Amino acid sequence: MRRLPMVNALRERATGLLRIALESEHIPPDVRAQGRRIVQTVKDAAQSLQWPRRPEAINVEITAICDARCIHCPREDMDRSQRPMELDLFKKLVDHAAEMRVPDLAPNGFGELLTMRSFDEHFAYIRSKSHRFRIKVNSNGFRLDDDKIESFLRHEVDFLNITLDGATAETFESIRLRLKLPQIEDNIRRLIKMRDERGLKYPKVRVGMIAIPQNIHEIDALLNKWKNVVDFVGVGGYSNRAGSLDEKGIFGPAPTAPDTTALTIAPAQAKSCVLPFRDMSIWADGRAVLCCDDWNETHVVGDLNTQSLAEIWNGEPLHKARALHMAGRGADLEICSKCNMWREASGARLWS
């Protein structure tokens, strides 16, 4: 059943107020953490009622080209074509997603959106639909010039996450090669300034860190540096990209660094992963993969060139993957068996 706009607005407002309350420094950290988990569980339970008929979010790789070389990303070994998605194929995806009333479109994948000369036409097409998508972008922020900032503001991109794997240039630039931290930091501050000067609310900006042994000593410095500057700041665990990373070779021994495994959820710790039930990932060549960590298309579940989004979402490959996860046998899938970061289902209702 579709909710009335006023109901949606009230629900979003209530959720926002609760989140603000949970961030209050007057509430003990352990109580805040428990409260956030409860909120997420309730949110997952409510949203999952819609998942059988459509995904919650679609990751669409508008381009497979990237300007960085990160030590925790395997894309240098990518066999598939590294090019932008054909515009007509992108429009087909948006058309189908609008028909299915998918809430979130995320121009994310294993390319960097900002390497494109312009993505204004892409965003304009998304906003031309009567169905209002939430646009959520992940970026390294290096090429965030004024023209691209204007595009984010003009098309009301909802959320921009920029990952800074270090509080200092020395640490950051040893992890994200070819990028320069001072330039990215200046870009972020310029975006915030331009947004706020115009009295705009969006995009909401998050600065995040992927915690690995090389940067974990700078977590507190990064949080303190960006607190009260951007809208959100946080730290997450690293993904081994479905077992593709040589973790010992990349990270090496780190005897003085805290253990980062608490930031990941291994298959043995979770009965099922929520991603096959909640998200869809379409890469630049139009092929759909089981998981957003499938950087080299090892587990393809459909092809937008020859199928509709609905056909892919309801197709046999995803049906089989969901059934295995529901039975607690997700590790029978080779790609899932190697993953160190199953996303827990929390309160979600799963189906096959």
Side-chain angles (χ1 to χ4, degrees), residues 58-64 80-81 83-98 105 121-122 125-126 129 133 280-288 297 302-309 311-312:
I58 296 178
N59 297 303
V60 50
E61 189 182 68
I62 295 180
T63 181
R80 61 188 178 91
S81 176
R83 58 178 175 79
M85 176 180 281
E86 296 291 339
L87 185 59
D88 286 345
L89 186 62
F90 174 80
K91 290 182 176 180
K92 175 183 177 181
L93 183 150
V94 174
D95 291 344
H96 290 191
L105 275 188
E121 188 171 0
H122 296 77
Y125 194 75
I126 294 173
K129 299 298 172 181
F133 293 101
M280 181 185 286
S281 295
I282 311 285
W283 292 163
D285 58 9
R287 285 186 279 189
E297 298 181 347
D303 190 340
L304 188 62
N305 292 287
T306 58
Q307 296 174 279
S308 69
L309 282 182
E311 287 171 338
I312 298 171

Side-chain angles (χ1 to χ4, degrees), residues 323-342:
L324 285 171
H325 274 277
M326 284 189 68
R329 294 174 50 210
D332 287 0
L333 296 163
E334 183 178 3
I335 188 172
C336 300
S337 69
K338 300 174 182 178
C339 179
N340 74 320
M341 191 176 278
W342 284 22

Side-chain angles (χ1 to χ4, degrees), residues 58-66 73-75 78 80 83 85 105-114 136-140 176 241 280-284 287 289 291-296:
I58 296 178
N59 297 303
V60 50
E61 189 182 68
I62 295 180
T63 181
I65 298 168
C66 188
C73 178
R75 59 162 286 113
M78 190 181 288
R80 61 188 178 91
R83 58 178 175 79
M85 176 180 281
L105 275 188
N108 305 322
F110 286 87
E112 169 55 54
L113 178 68
L114 299 182
K136 299 182 175 182
V137 176
N138 286 322
S139 174
N140 62 38
R176 293 187 171 252
R241 301 305 184 189
M280 181 185 286
S281 295
I282 311 285
W283 292 163
R287 285 186 279 189
V289 292
C291 172
C292 57
D293 283 329
D294 189 359
W295 57 281
N296 210 25

Side-chain angles (χ1 to χ4, degrees), residues 131-169:
H131 170 66
R132 192 189 189 284
F133 293 101
R134 290 188 295 261
I135 304 175
K136 299 182 175 182
V137 176
N138 286 322
S139 174
N140 62 38
F142 185 54
R143 298 174 185 262
L144 187 60
D145 58 28
D146 285 353
D147 287 342
K148 292 184 172 68
I149 290 175
E150 289 290 350
S151 187
F152 281 125
L153 298 176
R154 180 166 54 253
H155 299 298
E156 297 182 319
V157 169
D158 295 89
F159 184 79
L160 173 62
N161 178 71
I162 296 179
T163 306
L164 300 182
D165 288 336
T168 65

Side-chain angles (χ1 to χ4, degrees), residues 175-349:
I175 297 170
R176 293 187 171 252
L177 312 181
R178 304 174 184 160
L179 305 182
K180 298 298 179 183
L181 183 61
Q183 179 174 329
I184 298 172
E185 291 182 333
D186 179 68
N187 292 344
I188 295 171
R189 291 189 175 94
R190 199 170 67 257
L191 166 60
I192 295 290
K193 183 174 184 290
M194 292 171 67
R195 182 197 70 182
D196 291 351
E197 284 180 346
R198 302 180 193 187
L200 302 176
K201 295 182 178 180
Y202 299 101
K204 298 296 185 184
V205 179
R206 178 185 184 272
V207 163
M209 173 190 279
I210 297 172
I212 58 177
Q214 285 89 335
N215 65 13
I216 203 165
H217 62 286
E218 292 190 359
I219 286 179
D220 287 343
L222 180 123
L223 295 176
N224 291 330
K225 188 175 191 177
W226 291 100
K227 183 180 179 181
N228 300 323
V229 177
V230 293
D231 302 291
F232 309 99
V233 59
V235 180
Y238 73 92
S239 165
N240 67 7
R241 301 305 184 189
S244 297
L245 294 182
D246 175 13
E247 297 174 65
K248 290 183 179 179
I250 294 171
F251 302 140
T256 61
D259 186 7
T260 62
T261 55
L263 296 171
T264 66
I265 302 173
Q269 298 172 268
K271 179 182 177 182
S272 60
C273 178
V274 75
L275 292 186
F277 304 87
R278 188 188 70 192
D279 297 353
M280 181 185 286
S281 295
I282 311 285
W283 292 163
D285 58 9
R287 285 186 279 189
V289 292
L290 177 62
C291 172
C292 57
D293 283 329
D294 189 359
W295 57 281
N296 210 25
E297 298 181 347
T298 61
H299 195 118
V300 175
V301 296
D303 190 340
L304 188 62
N305 292 287
T306 58
Q307 296 174 279
S308 69
L309 282 182
E311 287 171 338
I312 298 171
W313 185 243
N314 298 305
E316 188 64 19
L318 276 174
H319 168 75
K320 288 181 178 179
R322 293 180 189 125
L324 285 171
H325 274 277
M326 284 189 68
R329 294 174 50 210
D332 287 0
L333 296 163
E334 183 178 3
I335 188 172
C336 300
S337 69
K338 300 174 182 178
C339 179
N340 74 320
M341 191 176 278
W342 284 22
R343 280 67 161 184
E344 284 189 302
S346 188
R349 169 187 174 272

